[in-house]
Amino acid sequence: MTAAAATSTSSAAAMTTTRRARTKRRITSAAHRRQAEEQRHSGTMRTGARRSALAHVIAAIGVLNAATSLAPNSGFVADAAQLNLADERAILEEFYDATGGNEWTEKDGWKSTDVDVCSWLGVTCKESTDTSDGVPTNSITSINLKNNNLRDTIPSSFWTLPSLRIVTIGSNSITSLGMQDVINSPNGIAPLEELYAASNSLTKIDDLGAFAATLKHINFNKNQLNNIPFPDDLFDCVHLKSIYMAFNGIGGSIPTTVGKLSNLEELYLFQNQLVGSLPSEMGELVSCQILGLGNNHFDGTLPTEMNRMVNLRDVSIHHMEQSGDTEGTGTGLTGPLLTFGDLPYLTLLFLDGNSLTGSIPNDFLRHNENTEEPVSIGLSNNQLSGPLPKSLERFSALSIDLVGNTGITSIPTELCSLSGWMGGLVETYGCDAILCPAGTYQPREGRAVRDTATCLPCVGSAILGATVCDVDGDGQPDEGTQGPDSDGGGGNGNPVNHDDNEPKTPIRLLMRFYMLLNGEQWAIQDGWETIKTIIEREMTDQEIIDFGVDYCTGWYGVICDGTGQIIELSLPRNALFGRVPTSIFSLPSLKNFDISNNNVLLSDLTAVGATAPMQSLVLSNIQMNSYDGIEQMKSTLRLLYLDGIRIIPPGSDDIKTSLQLPVQFFELSNLRLLHLQHASFSGSLPTLIGQLQGLELLNMYGNSLTGQLPTELGTLVNLQSLDLSENDFSGTIPSQLYQECTSLASLAIHQSTSDKNLGGRLPAFADLGRLRELNLQDN
């Protein structure tokens, strides 16, 4: 099962994406579909003549007619005749002042007395003269000020605009919607249908019920609703079609009143702090297509009423412990797996990481109509047992993750010939692509996923889908059998000497490196095969010398100087697999090290700078626990490549998708080349960048860096190539960059994938006489 959140390259994805991360993130495709719908808004609305980048995402699915009946406790809908355009201008001016308008990123036309309010930035008015829909010509129908530095509290008068249907204010710093008093407004309330307020600083959401008669779509993802329960009046909004409240820390349980939302099509509550059982009233959500409840702390059983949610397509209720969890948060859902037999359209079902028990029902997915289409089922790390049902053979393109269910007993042979199963891997690996058979294991995956990650021998193991070779049943990997999460052996069943007092001669260090990184499966092994002979004959150091072993001649990737000292070890894209033994950095003269694009885990860099005089370090597209120790190379390191690297903190299975640039990087004062492409860095580019004055090439393409470019870039006077593209920078290009960095031959800061962009006047770049390549697109 693959993730919606794709990595930068296919090799990086194969190496770094854990099975659980792949399984759990597919549900987020629903959010992407919603964003696409928001961008399709069109119609007969008159907007400002100048359309900024902020106006590209006017949030709407279409202007829907307001419901004519009022829900209980709702205010009366405003009459457009009660307010004229002058009144609406006054309301918008109050809104501008209350939300820090003078500091907005863009504010074209706002509060200008000689500019029609319908031409103000982000304001959309009705242009058509047809008033049969009850909306007067020139009345304000939509506000779109996404990502525009709005802050503080929205005045309650804003919500009385008589024709306002769509509000898009995401990616700002708004702390309160100011809806508390709107229900008592003498002018009535707006016929609000769509409210998109994701990525703000909201700490509560009250009085949505005032819009119960009209509200259809809300998005409050990524706010600060920490440990607050659902607002009661949310469930009075019975016309709601989509609720997006993910990544908020919402607490409490889902109330039984959720059953009132029979029109709801998308419910997205991913990664909150929700607890308790799922209410049986969930079965009343008969229109629901997307149910995203993953990464919460639910317990109890799956309500059988879910089988009544006949329109479900995507379901995610996986359980993953989150940072900060305390004892007693439970182990997720328990009890039997439902059949989900009456859901004909189901294509994604993720229940991984719970405590479901019993067998997979024989009538599992019995009425599912997607027998020829890809269907993904995530059941990993539960407590399921018994055989995989033969009845699943009617699916031609099923992917099912069962790893971590130690009670699975068998896979019918009929399923092992279905070439479209498991993303096509069954055609190549047969049953091994579903689960490694008894007597074998596959580190991390538990099944065969590629030629360099097949099922390895583990004689005596009785578990299907084993991820460690644990024959003695003590819960710990047996010596010599671990994969990339441990430093225990070569992954081929051969024990490795772990005596820390063993002589650290170069040949012994190379042997350890070869064995722990699955050397027998390397793509190119020229010269290294000698190690197998040394092990078979149990040679002493003197016998190795007498045998004539010369790693400086003919060993692939090993380069020595004139005295026979190893100065370079370069094995990129060579099918290395496992945890990198840091003892390799005990080679006293090692200067250049490249293990990029391999499926390996390097704990940190503390052993590197402490021993080897490292000058070039190429670690692109591997896994690491941290960057600790990198500062120890500040006097020697010249080249550093960390493209596509993935950080997995110790004790975790989850890749960190957002990292601040480590301050240690800026201690590497002798760096000439720094490559950090697609390295998951976020936050601002620190002013400390100015300390790397020897830099000749800097590449930070494809991260999530934000804010303004620091003026300290102008101190990098030796810079010849600078690529900061596809981040989220804003502000202007600092003049110091194009006035002082006169050696620049290539400059790229395009941002086609970002909502944010650089502005200001285009510099002349007159002082950059060597400039040959310039790309500032999509700003």
Side-chain angles (χ1 to χ4, degrees):
M1 280 153 276
T2 60
T7 54
S8 56
T9 62
S10 59
S11 61
M15 175 186 65
T16 65
T17 307
T18 66
R19 178 178 65 258
R20 282 188 292 275
R22 286 199 311 269
T23 303
K24 315 312 178 291
R25 295 175 185 158
R26 291 287 298 278
I27 196 72
T28 60
S29 62
H32 299 158
R33 291 197 294 272
R34 164 62 61 203
Q35 291 169 3
E37 288 176 338
E38 292 176 7
Q39 293 170 353
R40 289 205 303 267
H41 177 51
S42 61
T44 59
M45 301 296 173
R46 181 157 59 88
T47 61
R50 178 185 173 196
R51 288 182 81 73
S52 70
L54 289 172
H56 285 187
V57 192
I58 297 178
I61 297 175
V63 178
L64 306 173
N65 291 327
T68 56
S69 60
L70 299 181
N73 302 318
S74 68
F76 68 91
V77 175
D79 183 351
Q82 291 180 314
L83 292 175
N84 58 36
L85 199 56
D87 296 322
E88 296 188 16
R89 173 189 286 266
I91 289 173
L92 289 191
E93 288 179 346
E94 182 185 4
F95 172 80
Y96 177 89
D97 293 335
T99 58
N102 290 334
E103 298 177 9
W104 288 3
T105 305
E106 297 187 60
K107 45 183 176 285
D108 296 359
W110 279 78
K111 295 191 74 172
S112 175
T113 56
D114 57 353
V115 178
D116 178 9
V117 67
C118 294
S119 296
W120 291 6
L121 175 77
V123 177
T124 301
C125 297
K126 180 179 177 179
E127 187 176 56
S128 171
T129 57
D130 180 5
T131 59
S132 60
D133 58 359
V135 181
T137 301
N138 292 333
S139 187
I140 296 170
T141 58
S142 173
I143 301 287
N144 180 0
L145 292 169
K146 180 180 178 182
N147 190 22
N148 203 39
N149 200 34
L150 278 68
R151 56 179 171 81
D152 299 335
T153 299
I154 295 175
S156 61
S157 61
F158 177 79
W159 305 108
T160 67
L161 287 167
S163 302
L164 185 64
R165 283 163 163 73
I166 303 166
V167 175
T168 303
I169 48 174
S171 300
N172 286 292
S173 299
I174 295 169
T175 57
S176 174
L177 294 175
M179 293 179 174
Q180 292 84 345
D181 300 322
V182 68
I183 196 169
N184 299 317
S185 169
N187 293 323
I189 62 174
L192 187 66
E193 297 175 355
E194 304 178 27
L195 175 55
Y196 304 103
S199 300
N200 276 282
S201 301
L202 300 172
T203 57
K204 62 179 181 178
I205 300 172
D206 291 330
D207 297 298
L208 280 176
F211 305 97
T214 56
L215 197 59
K216 293 179 173 64
H217 303 282
I218 58 172
N219 188 334
F220 293 113
N221 285 349
K222 296 184 179 179
N223 276 277
Q224 299 174 20
L225 309 176
N226 299 325
N227 295 314
I228 68 166
F230 285 105
D232 292 336
D233 58 356
L234 173 65
F235 302 101
D236 291 331
C237 301
V238 296
H239 302 288
L240 276 171
K241 292 188 175 182
S242 66
I243 297 175
Y244 279 66
M245 299 179 74
F247 305 101
N248 271 303
I250 296 172
S253 59
I254 297 178
T256 58
T257 48
V258 70
K260 296 162 65 175
L261 304 182
S262 58
N263 293 302
L264 194 66
E265 297 175 358
E266 300 177 10
L267 179 59
Y268 192 71
L269 302 175
F270 185 84
Q271 198 155 332
N272 283 290
Q273 298 292 331
L274 296 171
V275 297
S277 300
L278 298 176
S280 59
E281 287 78 5
M282 296 284 293
E284 303 301 318
L285 306 184
V286 293
S287 299
C288 192
Q289 300 177 27
I290 296 168
L291 185 63
L293 306 179
N295 272 20
N296 282 287
H297 304 293
F298 298 116
D299 54 29
T301 60
L302 287 165
T304 57
E305 290 81 1
M306 286 185 68
N307 277 320
R308 300 209 306 257
M309 301 172 70
V310 294
N311 284 296
L312 276 176
R313 299 176 185 272
D314 299 356
V315 177
S316 174
I317 322 178
H318 59 273
H319 176 87
M320 294 175 66
E321 294 299 322
Q322 304 171 31
S323 60
D325 280 352
T326 57
E327 237 179 288
T329 54
T331 55
L333 299 171
T334 58
L337 174 66
L338 297 182
T339 66
F340 295 99
D342 297 323
L343 310 185
Y345 311 119
L346 194 65
T347 57
L348 300 174
L349 174 63
F350 300 135
L351 299 171
D352 308 78
N354 286 288
S355 299
L356 299 175
T357 56
S359 60
I360 300 173
N362 287 325
D363 54 352
F364 187 58
L365 306 179
R366 61 183 173 185
H367 292 147
N368 194 298
E369 297 176 359
N370 296 304
T371 55
E372 303 298 324
E373 303 297 325
V375 175
S376 296
I377 307 297
L379 299 172
S380 65
N381 298 305
N382 279 278
Q383 299 172 23
L384 298 171
S385 58
L388 190 60
K390 179 178 178 296
S391 58
L392 294 176
E393 66 180 333
R394 68 191 192 89
F395 292 94
S396 61
L398 183 71
S399 292
I400 184 166
D401 192 348
L402 293 167
V403 172
N405 292 280
T406 57
I408 298 296
T409 56
S410 63
I411 301 172
T413 56
E414 291 85 352
L415 305 183
C416 302
S417 59
L418 298 173
S419 60
W421 268 47
M422 309 304 288
L425 292 175
V426 167
E427 182 175 18
T428 303
Y429 304 111
C431 277
D432 288 12
I434 303 173
L435 289 174
C436 284
T440 69
Y441 78 110
Q442 209 308 301
R444 297 186 70 84
E445 302 291 347
R447 59 188 184 89
V449 295
R450 55 188 174 276
D451 289 344
T452 56
T454 56
C455 299
L456 305 172
C458 180
V459 178
S461 172
I463 296 174
L464 274 67
T467 56
V468 295
C469 185
D470 180 23
V471 177
D472 54 17
D474 62 357
Q476 299 296 320
D478 298 332
E479 185 180 23
T481 63
Q482 292 96 312
D485 283 337
S486 61
D487 198 6
N492 52 12
N494 295 318
V496 177
N497 186 357
H498 286 261
D499 182 4
D500 289 336
N501 297 317
E502 65 177 320
K504 290 186 167 47
T505 60
I507 186 61
R508 295 292 181 189
L509 294 172
L510 292 176
M511 288 172 60
R512 181 177 175 83
F513 185 80
Y514 177 82
M515 295 301 297
L516 289 180
L517 296 181
N518 207 24
E520 292 186 1
Q521 301 297 322
W522 288 4
I524 303 176
Q525 301 180 43
D526 295 359
W528 294 83
E529 306 101 318
T530 307
I531 291 175
K532 290 183 284 187
T533 303
I534 295 172
I535 292 173
E536 289 169 358
R537 298 185 183 182
E538 299 181 349
M539 292 183 181
T540 64
D541 288 350
Q542 185 59 50
E543 288 172 334
I544 292 173
I545 296 172
D546 295 341
F547 190 64
V549 174
D550 181 9
Y551 43 77
C552 292
T553 304
W555 281 42
Y556 178 72
V558 178
I559 296 178
C560 301
D561 62 12
T563 65
Q565 294 290 321
I566 297 175
I567 59 173
E568 180 173 330
L569 189 57
S570 182
L571 295 164
R573 298 185 184 278
N574 202 44
L576 278 65
F577 176 82
R579 178 182 284 270
V580 179
T582 55
S583 58
I584 194 66
F585 300 116
S586 299
L587 292 169
S589 300
L590 187 63
K591 297 178 180 179
N592 305 311
F593 186 70
D594 184 353
I595 54 170
S596 60
N597 297 287
N598 285 292
N599 192 3
V600 297
L601 174 67
L602 177 61
S603 58
D604 54 39
L605 300 168
T606 53
V608 184
T611 52
M614 197 65 66
Q615 296 180 5
S616 172
L617 196 58
V618 185
L619 303 176
S620 297
N621 295 316
I622 70 165
Q623 298 173 5
M624 289 183 66
N625 290 143
S626 77
Y627 295 114
D628 291 352
I630 195 169
E631 69 279 0
Q632 296 180 135
M633 293 177 274
K634 60 185 177 183
S635 63
T636 60
L637 198 62
R638 302 290 189 272
L639 282 79
L640 178 61
Y641 281 85
L642 298 173
D643 294 347
I645 201 160
R646 295 293 179 266
I647 298 297
I648 303 177
S652 172
D653 288 324
D654 297 329
I655 298 167
K656 295 197 70 172
T657 57
S658 181
L659 298 161
Q660 298 291 315
L661 282 162
V663 294
Q664 301 98 309
F665 283 9
F666 306 107
E667 298 179 31
L668 304 174
S669 55
N670 286 302
L671 271 183
R672 298 294 179 266
L673 182 151
L674 179 59
H675 234 272
L676 303 176
Q677 192 167 316
H678 292 294
S680 299
F681 289 120
S682 59
S684 60
L685 182 57
T687 58
L688 292 173
I689 191 69
Q691 296 180 186
L692 304 182
Q693 296 188 8
L695 272 184
E696 298 173 2
L697 185 149
L698 175 60
N699 188 320
M700 293 185 172
Y701 180 103
N703 288 283
S704 299
L705 298 172
T706 59
Q708 298 195 357
L709 298 175
T711 58
E712 286 75 8
L713 284 170
T715 65
L716 308 183
V717 295
N718 294 306
L719 207 58
Q720 300 176 28
S721 177
L722 175 63
D723 194 341
L724 301 176
S725 301
E726 304 310 327
N727 282 282
D728 294 311
F729 292 118
S730 55
T732 60
I733 300 175
S735 59
Q736 293 84 348
L737 177 62
Y738 52 81
Q739 290 174 355
E740 304 297 333
C741 299
T742 55
S743 296
L744 270 176
S746 176
L747 174 61
I749 321 179
H750 56 82
Q751 299 196 125
S752 62
T753 59
S754 175
D755 290 337
K756 302 179 182 178
N757 32 52
L758 298 174
R761 296 179 62 85
L762 178 67
F765 299 108
D767 295 320
L768 303 185
R770 300 181 182 180
L771 194 63
R772 298 293 180 269
E773 297 180 12
L774 177 65
N775 190 339
L776 301 175
Q777 290 184 145
D778 297 299
N779 283 291

